[in-house]
Amino acid sequence: MAPLLTAGQMRAAEQAAITSGAVTGLALMERAGQGVVTAILDQWPELAGTSGQRALILCGPGNNGGDGFVVARLLAAQGWQIDLRLFGDPARLPGDARANHDRWSGDVRPWRAEEAPDLSGYALVVDALFGTGLTRGLPDGAGFARTLAWRDDGSSRPRVVAIDMPSGLCSDSGRVLGDAALRADLAVTFHTAKPGHVLADGPAHCGRVHVVDIGLPVAAAEEGVAGLITGPGALDKGGTAHKYSHGHALVLSGGAGRSGAARLAARGALRIGAGLVTLGVPGSAQMEVACQVTALMLRRVNDGPGLVDVLADGRLSALCIGPGLGLDRAPELVAAALGGAVETRPMVLDADALTAFGDRPDTLFEMVHPGCVLTPHGGEFARLFPDLAARLAEPSATGPAFSRIDAARLAAGRAGAVVLLKGPDTVIAAPDGRCAVQSAAYDRQAPWLATAGAGDVLAGFITGLLARGFDPFDAACAGAWLHVETARRFGPGLIAEDLPDLLPDVLRRLAG
C-alpha cells in the first residue's frame, strides 16, 4: 500500500528533511524541476532532441511557481523557446522560488487574471501556478477561466502538464474549488501521490500521474496517512489446509425470484478461498436455489430464530447479509445475527441490510461491532450518514475541501465498524483511523463494473476473506482490489457472473 500524503503532510515531510540538514529547500526544488522535465520527455519522447519548440510556463506566487522557473531554465538549456508568465508579484515570492526567479535569464511577463494567452504554436503548456497549496477557488476573470478550461482534440494542441496538481483542484480531496480547474494530460508530483490525484474529479483533470522521487525519506504509513491499495496482500492457503481451516461462510438469500444476488456473493466467497460456503435460504426459494448451485450448501433460514439456530454451529466463521435479502426480512435477520443470542462473528452488511436501517441508522450502529464491514454505495451512504453525504455534495470554494477519505473515516468512527464507500474511488476506513483508497482510474480503469450484481460479488469476496480469518479492514482492501482486477482481466462485455470465475486466473498471476 502506497502512502497518499495530504498537502499538510507533504509540507511537514519536506520541512522535517530541511530542518534535519539532510537537504535544502533549493535542492528539493531543483530535483523537482528536473523530475518534471524528465517525466515530460519520458511521456512524449518525440519532444526530445528538437530545438526551437515553444513552451508556455505559467508560474504562480509560491513554491510551485519556483518549480516552474526550474523547468523553464532546464528546457531553455535544451533549446526550447520559453514564454514565461508569472501570476503574482516577483518581490513576494518565497525565498527558494525567488532564487530560481533570479536564476532565470529570460523575460518574465506578468499574467493578469483577465488575460487569455493565445495557445496556438506551443508544443507544451506547464501549469506551475498553485500545485498542492491551493486553498481557494481560482481568481475570477473570463480570460483566466477560458485558458484553464481550454481543451481541443485537434492534432496541433499543446501537451498540458501540471506540476503537483492541476490548478483549481484541491490536493486533499480531488474536488474543484470554485468554478474552474485546468485539465492536464500529465500531472507530475513529488515523493508520493496525493489524495486529490485519485479522488473525485482528480483523475478526469490529471490525465496521467507520474510520481518523482526527490530524495525525501520513504513515507511511512503513520497515523493519519491514507494509503493507495496497490495489491491484495498475501492470500495463499498453505500446503496443509483443509476446508474447515479456511472458514465456513454463510450468505443469506432473499425469497423466490430474489436469490440471484446471494448466489453471486456466495460464489465470490467460495472462489476467493473460503473452505465452505452455505446459502441460508427461506423455504419459498429453496427449490429455486437448489437447481442453481453445486459446490454451495443450503440451509433453511426463514426468520430470526431460524438464523439463531443455524449460527449455533460454531464452525460458521463469517456472514454476508443483504444482497437481495428484501427490506421486509432484513431488520429481523440483521438483529438476529448481531444480537446477544449468538456468538459474535465477522460479517459483511450490504445492500438491503443497510437500506433497511436508512431511516434509523443509529439502531444499526448500536448493533454492529468492529468485525463488521459495511459496504454502502453513494445512495446507501447518504441514507446512513446524511450529514456527511451533504458535506460531500456541497460546492467548495475553499480548501482543503471535505473529501471522501474524511467522510469514510468519520462514518467508520460513528458506526464502530469498517466502512467501504463504493465508487471508482472506493474508500475503506476502519474505526481506528486506518484508511485506504482503491482507485479504478488511470491504468486501472474498470468501467465495466457498472453492471448489476457486481457489488454482490464484492460482498462475497470480502466475506470469503473474513471467513478465512482476515482482519476486516484487510479483507475489505484485498476484496476491493481483486474486484477491480478481475473486471480488468475480462474487459468490455463483463457481467457479474464472470467475476468469480475470473478470480483463479488473477490469483495465479499474482502467485507466479
Side-chain angles (χ1 to χ4, degrees), residues 175-364:
R175 298 173 62 185
V176 175
L177 298 181
D179 299 324
L182 181 142
R183 289 185 180 268
D185 299 299
L186 175 68
V188 184
T189 193
F190 312 112
H191 189 46
T192 74
K194 311 305 183 293
H197 291 127
V198 295
L199 295 175
D201 303 312
H205 283 263
C206 291
R208 296 183 62 85
V209 176
H210 182 89
V211 180
V212 172
D213 180 4
I214 55 173
L216 294 175
V218 176
E222 66 265 26
E223 183 179 356
V225 173
L228 179 66
I229 302 171
T230 55
L235 296 171
D236 184 31
K237 281 189 173 185
T240 60
H242 60 83
K243 60 186 179 183
Y244 281 109
S245 69
H246 286 279
H248 186 175
L250 174 66
V251 180
L252 297 185
S253 169
R258 294 179 57 87
S259 66
R263 285 187 279 114
L264 285 169
R267 191 166 183 83
L270 194 63
R271 280 293 194 193
I272 210 164
L276 299 94
V277 179
T278 292
L279 276 161
V281 185
S284 64
Q286 233 175 312
M287 289 299 294
E288 172 186 311
V289 174
C291 293
Q292 300 286 338
V293 300
T294 302
L296 303 172
M297 298 186 294
L298 299 183
R299 288 288 301 271
R300 180 173 288 198
V301 178
N302 282 319
D303 52 22
L307 178 58
V308 171
D309 289 344
V310 171
L311 293 176
D313 183 348
R315 293 174 299 181
L316 286 167
S317 53
L319 284 78
C320 178
I321 307 179
L325 188 61
L327 297 178
D328 54 338
R329 302 179 67 227
E332 180 184 8
L333 291 170
V334 170
L338 292 169
V342 297
E343 177 188 352
T344 297
R345 291 174 174 84
M347 69 182 70
V348 173
L349 297 171
D350 183 51
D352 290 345
L354 303 177
T355 299
F357 293 90
D359 60 347
R360 47 192 174 112
D362 288 344
T363 300
L364 178 63

Side-chain angles (χ1 to χ4, degrees), residues 375-404:
T375 58
H377 57 54
E380 292 158 349
F381 187 87
R383 287 188 283 273
L384 292 175
F385 308 99
D387 56 325
L388 303 181
R391 291 182 66 184
L392 284 175
E394 290 172 355
S396 183
T398 60
F402 189 70
S403 75
R404 284 170 61 86

Side-chain angles (χ1 to χ4, degrees), residues 6-202:
T6 66
Q9 290 162 344
M10 184 64 191
R11 285 193 297 271
E14 290 175 331
Q15 191 56 51
I18 293 169
T19 301
S20 72
V23 69
T24 65
L26 205 58
L28 288 177
M29 193 169 285
E30 189 71 19
R31 294 173 190 173
Q34 181 62 69
V36 172
V37 172
T38 300
I40 290 169
L41 299 182
D42 285 347
Q43 177 69 26
W44 299 293
E46 66 273 18
L47 295 180
T50 55
S51 62
Q53 297 180 100
R54 297 180 64 205
L56 173 64
I57 314 285
L58 307 174
C59 293
N63 284 329
N64 198 251
D67 296 339
F69 279 105
V70 176
V71 171
R73 172 166 42 82
L74 296 175
L75 287 177
Q78 296 186 29
W80 284 69
Q81 296 181 24
I82 304 299
D83 182 359
L84 196 150
R85 310 288 185 91
L86 176 63
F87 185 78
D89 182 355
R92 301 182 65 179
L93 287 168
D96 295 329
R98 181 57 191 261
N100 277 302
H101 168 277
D102 294 344
R103 292 184 67 187
W104 169 245
S105 58
D107 291 337
V108 177
R109 296 174 58 191
W111 189 28
R112 296 178 297 276
E114 64 274 13
E115 183 181 0
D118 180 4
L119 298 174
S120 61
Y122 290 109
L124 183 69
V125 175
V126 177
D127 168 21
L129 288 165
F130 301 105
T132 62
L134 189 69
T135 58
R136 62 187 185 279
L138 293 171
D140 292 333
F144 195 88
R146 279 200 306 273
T147 301
L148 291 179
W150 173 82
R151 192 87 178 184
D152 178 13
D153 293 329
S155 59
S156 63
R157 75 173 182 86
R159 286 82 166 180
V160 181
V161 177
I163 297 182
D164 254 330
M165 298 295 298
S167 290
L169 202 66
C170 174
S171 176
D172 290 1
S173 68
R175 298 173 62 185
V176 175
L177 298 181
D179 299 324
L182 181 142
R183 289 185 180 268
D185 299 299
L186 175 68
V188 184
T189 193
F190 312 112
H191 189 46
T192 74
K194 311 305 183 293
H197 291 127
V198 295
L199 295 175
D201 303 312

